[in-house]
Amino acid sequence: AQSVTQLGSHVSVSEGALVLLRCNYSSSVPPYLFWYVQYPNQGLQLLLKYTSAATLVKGINGFEAEFKKSETSFHLTKPSAHMSDAAEYFCAVGYSGGGADGLTFGKGTHLIIQP
Amino acid sequence: NAGVMQNPRHLVRRRGQEARLRCSPMKGHSHVYWYRQLPEEGLKFMVYLQKENIIDESGMPKERFSAEFPKEGPSILRIQQVVRGDSAAYFCASRGPTDTQYFGPGTRLTVL
């Protein structure tokens, strides 16, 4: 069985500050990990994915995430927050088939950007 | 290349009615997934289909819910005799030969 825990249902940062959204997973097989972003009343957009290649993954909009097996973590970061980053962020895990199976999602973190 | 399309975007039903949600995958994608998002919750996997086949329905409620992905046309998620607890956003995702699922904009179902 696999699960995803996102620490902090709401995270507030100032514009220009570092963004850190936490994700921890549990998986009985090597995980495939994803971060998605959801803007209000829209679908999910893929930010980045880890599929057992490089442990530091770069995504769109300046986001990146580092896979740490020893900590079972896949935290999302961005050096400098922008107002347009305000959205809901979801971490998800898949089986070794990558996205071939249904993904297991965390409950999401709502990112608030303070001007 | 058009993305994943879902319709309707909003659907209102009274208790006991049927709801039909449609999903057209991206061009060239033969894998479709349905997820449900309840308020303040993440997405929950429901079912995974390929053309004319259900691959994994482990997340589907045992009663009233069914899904299909025919050889021609969109994938359909059908909910019979809806109840208030079915009110949620239903998202469809499609996948081609890679490992990435691409999500549609969702259908927001409200049961009165």
Side-chain angles (χ1 to χ4, degrees):
Chain A
Q2 53 193 14
S3 64
V4 176
T5 301
Q6 291 184 240
L7 296 176
S9 59
H10 292 77
V11 170
S12 180
V13 302
S14 299
E15 190 174 17
L18 171 71
V19 175
L20 171 60
L21 304 183
R22 299 178 187 275
C23 172
N24 289 88
Y25 69 92
S26 67
S27 177
S28 56
V29 297
Y32 282 57
L33 295 157
F34 305 81
W35 274 100
Y36 285 87
V37 60
Q38 184 182 32
Y39 297 100
N41 297 317
Q42 295 187 27
L44 277 71
Q45 179 181 5
L46 180 68
L47 276 178
L48 48 80
K49 62 182 180 182
Y50 166 76
T51 56
S52 77
T55 57
L56 181 63
V57 181
K58 294 188 182 297
I60 62 171
N61 301 339
F63 285 94
E64 62 181 35
E66 186 173 8
F67 172 68
K68 292 186 176 180
K69 184 178 179 180
S70 61
E71 299 177 7
T72 61
S73 68
F74 191 56
H75 302 331
L76 182 71
T77 60
K78 181 174 180 177
S80 177
H82 191 273
M83 295 299 290
S84 61
D85 295 327
E88 192 83 17
Y89 291 80
F90 293 97
C91 182
V93 62
Y95 288 110
S96 58
D101 300 302
L103 300 176
T104 298
F105 282 83
K107 291 189 174 183
T109 297
H110 186 66
L111 178 61
I112 301 163
I113 310 297
Q114 305 281 4
Chain B
N1 188 10
V4 179
M5 300 176 68
Q6 291 188 248
N7 66 81
R9 295 291 307 275
H10 299 274
L11 182 62
V12 179
R13 286 287 178 268
R14 297 190 181 278
R15 282 178 295 171
Q17 291 183 321
E18 178 180 286
R20 282 187 179 233
L21 289 63
R22 293 174 182 77
C23 169
S24 296
M26 291 177 68
K27 185 177 181 180
H29 286 193
S30 60
H31 306 264
V32 166
Y33 305 78
W34 285 94
Y35 294 83
R36 178 165 62 177
Q37 184 180 33
L38 295 170
E40 306 301 320
E41 295 283 331
L43 279 71
K44 302 291 187 184
F45 167 74
M46 300 179 75
V47 62
Y48 164 30
L49 310 103
Q50 290 185 23
K51 286 285 188 181
E52 299 184 281
N53 288 301
I54 296 175
I55 306 302
D56 180 359
E57 57 182 348
S58 59
M60 285 280 270
K62 294 292 186 284
E63 298 179 347
R64 301 188 296 107
F65 285 72
S66 62
E68 63 177 10
F69 188 16
K71 186 176 181 180
E72 301 290 339
S75 175
I76 306 289
L77 179 67
R78 181 184 179 199
I79 311 172
Q80 295 178 291
Q81 299 176 335
V82 296
V83 301
R84 289 217 172 107
D86 297 332
S87 295
Y90 292 82
F91 289 95
C92 165
S94 75
R95 181 175 66 83
T98 69
D99 53 20
T100 301
Q101 295 181 25
Y102 295 88
F103 283 78
T107 294
R108 282 155 181 82
L109 172 66
T110 301
V111 179
L112 302 177

